[in-house]
């Protein structure tokens, strides 16, 4: 970088930072903001009221009020765009518009139609970190427009995530890729390497249907192994249904914990189980597990399957196959936990992520609207 930049981060509106409602986006945002501040850049974070982080200096988070939007993964693809009043999402972007001239780059962390639509109306360039795969026709159309008019402004976390977007597949088939790839990273100094597990399994994530916790519960019954469960309880009814459906499963739910506590518990386990029913954009918890030396057993679906090296840092099995999960558990002794930690160090450090982000940011700031793509009318259907 030729100079420090001034970044305005617009957080996910689904819940306050520190609540766990935003999943891995929360940790990713805070980690990157802290790393950029340490490198001399300026970072301000617009986030829902109640947001907190011990990793950011006082005043770095600016609270914004309003009602959060519904989770995108709970909506139909053709769901009309609608907002609660007063809209937290609208208020976040109104605040961003008011402050934009104080910054070199606005960075969007939300997966919402309005966030993408407003790109045209900002004087300061807006970069988008797309946190999920294709879930909404309206969002897909907005992303396609940005990819055409502002090439290089869209970042995703994995190839699997990118492939969920029809417009991206079409461009890739023609030899073009509309996305920048920004794999997530963690501060490895905050994760303790544990050379041996205690025999238990671990499952980490938002407790919601798309995360597939029921398959891990079935695995617990099948193997007799206890499962430690960590994460935000998004859907209590879903959690109660699992407990009733798998009464013999030893499920120990500890809630959503700060990273320091979470990694200590995770590190003691013999494996992390990932059972997504949807295409995970990345799967940051897989990197956190590897950083502790914990092998990862995941379905061959989405970003986690790109993180895990089958047979070396864990096992990648066919989706929705509990028997395959159980067979993988039987072969955990074949995994060298030191290789798991090494893989995280070589590919998923926070330093590497920060450098990729800064290189991407510099390119956008130097060439905010490539001349070849300027102009052109558009239509919006929602």
């Amino acid at each position: 970088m030729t100079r420090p930049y001034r970044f305005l981060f617009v957080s996910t509106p689904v819940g306050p930072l520190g609540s766990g409602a935003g999943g891995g986006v929360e940790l990713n945002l805070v980690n990157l903001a802290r790393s950029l501040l340490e490198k001399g850049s300026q970072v301000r974070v617009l986030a829902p009221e109640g947001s907190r982080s011990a990793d950011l200096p006082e005043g770095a988070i600016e609270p914004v009020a309003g009602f959060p939007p519904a989770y995108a993964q709970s909506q139909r693809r053709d769901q009309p765009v609608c907002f609660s009043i007063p809209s937290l999402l609208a208020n976040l972007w109104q605040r961003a518009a008011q402050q934009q001239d104080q910054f070199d780059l606005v960075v969007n962390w939300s997966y919402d139609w309005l966030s993408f639509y407003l790109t045209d109306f900002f004087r300061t360039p807006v970069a988008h970190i797309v946190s999920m795969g294709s879930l909404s026709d309206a969002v897909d159309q907005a992303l396609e427009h940005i990819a055409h008019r502002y090439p290089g402004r869209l970042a995703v976390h994995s190839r699997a995530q990118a492939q969920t977007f029809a417009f991206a597949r079409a461009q890739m088939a023609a030899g073009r890729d509309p996305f920048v790839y920004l794999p997530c990273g963690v501060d490895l100094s905050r994760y303790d390497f544990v050379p041996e597990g205690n025999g238990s399994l671990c499952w980490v994530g938002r407790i919601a249907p798309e995360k597939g916790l029921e398959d891990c519960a079935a695995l617990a019954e099948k193997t007799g192994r206890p499962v430690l469960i960590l994460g935000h309880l998004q859907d209590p009814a879903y959690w109660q249904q699992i407990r009733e459906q798998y009464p013999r499963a030893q499920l120990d739910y500890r809630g959503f914990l700060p990273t320091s506590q979470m990694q200590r518990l995770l590190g003691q386990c013999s494996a992390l189980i990932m059972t997504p029913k949807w295409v995970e954009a990345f799967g940051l918890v897989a990197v956190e597990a590897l950083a502790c030396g914990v092998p990862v057993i995941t379905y061959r679906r989405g970003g986690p399957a790109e993180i895990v090296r089958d047979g070396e840092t864990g096992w990648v099995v066919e989706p929705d196959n509990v028997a395959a999960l159980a067979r993988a558990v039987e072969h955990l002794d074949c995994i060298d936990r030191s290789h798991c930690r090494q893989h995280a160090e070589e590919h998923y450090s926070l330093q590497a992520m920060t450098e990729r982000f800064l290189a991407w940011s510099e390119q956008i700031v130097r060439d905010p609207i490539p001349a070849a793509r300027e102009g052109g009318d558009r239509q919006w259907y929602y």
Side-chain angles (χ1 to χ4, degrees):
M1 296 290 288
T2 56
R3 63 181 176 87
Y5 283 123
R6 301 167 299 167
F7 297 103
L8 180 62
F9 282 9
V10 184
S11 179
T12 171
V14 297
L17 294 176
S19 68
V25 175
E26 294 181 31
L27 179 61
N28 208 19
L29 185 157
V30 170
N31 279 347
L32 184 57
R34 176 172 61 86
S35 181
L36 292 169
L37 286 167
E38 290 173 352
K39 290 182 176 296
S41 290
Q42 298 178 38
V43 182
R44 183 180 301 167
V45 181
L46 301 179
E49 280 187 331
S51 292
R52 64 189 186 279
S53 174
D55 288 327
L56 298 180
E58 186 176 355
I61 298 177
E62 184 173 327
V64 178
F67 293 120
Y71 281 91
Q73 53 268 43
S74 67
Q75 306 295 301
R76 305 190 317 270
R77 286 201 62 87
D78 60 352
Q79 182 79 24
V81 176
C82 57
F83 305 98
S84 301
I85 302 297
S87 167
L88 173 58
L89 181 64
N91 290 347
L92 283 166
W93 283 98
Q94 181 181 50
R95 193 78 59 86
Q98 293 167 347
Q99 299 180 13
Q100 62 178 300
D101 292 332
Q102 303 172 36
F103 299 93
D104 301 303
L105 187 65
V106 178
V107 182
N108 168 41
W109 292 82
S110 72
Y111 185 93
D112 295 276
W113 175 85
L114 182 64
S115 306
F116 302 123
Y117 173 79
L118 290 174
T119 303
D120 276 346
F121 302 96
F122 270 66
R123 295 179 299 275
T124 299
V126 182
H128 301 276
I129 297 179
V130 184
S131 59
M132 291 184 282
S134 176
L135 296 173
S136 160
D137 294 337
V139 168
D140 284 11
Q141 187 185 44
L143 291 175
E144 184 175 7
H145 168 75
I146 293 171
H148 172 74
R149 185 164 186 185
Y150 307 100
R153 296 273 198 98
L154 298 175
V156 294
H157 299 306
S158 68
R159 302 284 172 179
Q161 177 193 5
Q163 288 287 339
T164 65
F165 297 98
F167 76 89
R169 293 196 300 272
Q171 291 189 28
M172 290 176 190
R176 303 185 305 274
D177 194 326
F179 295 118
V180 170
Y181 291 87
L182 192 67
C184 304
V186 298
D187 182 348
L188 292 160
S189 69
R190 298 191 170 194
Y191 295 82
D192 302 320
F193 173 69
V194 182
E196 186 174 348
N198 61 14
S200 65
L201 306 175
C202 190
W203 188 97
V204 183
R206 289 179 296 103
I207 298 179
E210 67 272 8
K211 295 291 188 175
L213 176 56
E214 67 270 22
D215 286 6
C216 190
L219 176 66
E221 280 201 344
K222 188 175 185 65
T223 63
R225 295 207 185 204
V227 177
L228 177 67
I229 299 173
L230 305 170
H232 174 65
L233 181 53
Q234 178 182 323
D235 191 332
Y238 169 67
W239 168 237
Q240 183 60 32
Q241 179 183 349
I242 290 172
R243 292 180 63 103
E244 293 173 356
Q245 187 174 356
Y246 301 97
R248 293 182 290 108
Q250 300 179 60
L251 306 178
D252 181 9
Y253 176 55
R254 301 288 186 89
F256 177 73
L257 302 176
T259 297
S260 59
Q261 298 177 39
M262 183 277 290
Q263 67 89 25
R264 281 196 294 270
L265 293 171
L266 172 60
Q268 299 299 320
C269 298
S270 291
L272 173 73
I273 308 299
M274 301 189 73
T275 50
K277 297 296 184 178
W278 68 331
V279 176
E280 291 276 4
F282 185 70
L284 186 57
V285 67
V287 173
E288 295 185 282
L290 296 177
C292 297
V294 177
V296 179
I297 300 175
T298 184
Y299 286 151
R300 194 182 307 278
R301 175 183 284 147
E306 297 181 15
I307 297 170
V308 178
R309 289 184 175 174
D310 191 41
E312 181 179 340
T313 63
W315 303 99
V316 180
V317 306
E318 291 309 303
D320 312 319
N321 190 329
V322 175
L325 293 174
R327 289 193 294 271
V329 168
E330 294 175 358
H331 293 92
L332 284 173
D333 290 343
C334 300
I335 305 298
D336 185 336
R337 288 169 70 106
S338 66
H339 288 170
C340 297
R341 172 71 184 202
Q342 183 181 1
H343 185 57
E345 291 174 343
E346 291 177 352
H347 299 281
Y348 300 110
S349 70
L350 179 57
Q351 173 69 20
M353 179 187 174
T354 304
E355 290 175 356
R356 286 190 290 262
F357 175 82
L358 286 172
W360 177 43
S361 300
E362 185 172 26
Q363 184 177 13
I364 294 173
V365 172
R366 285 183 173 180
D367 187 17
I369 305 179
R373 302 297 177 91
E374 288 182 350
D377 296 329
R378 65 174 176 179
Q379 295 177 317
W380 293 96
Y381 301 97
Y382 60 92

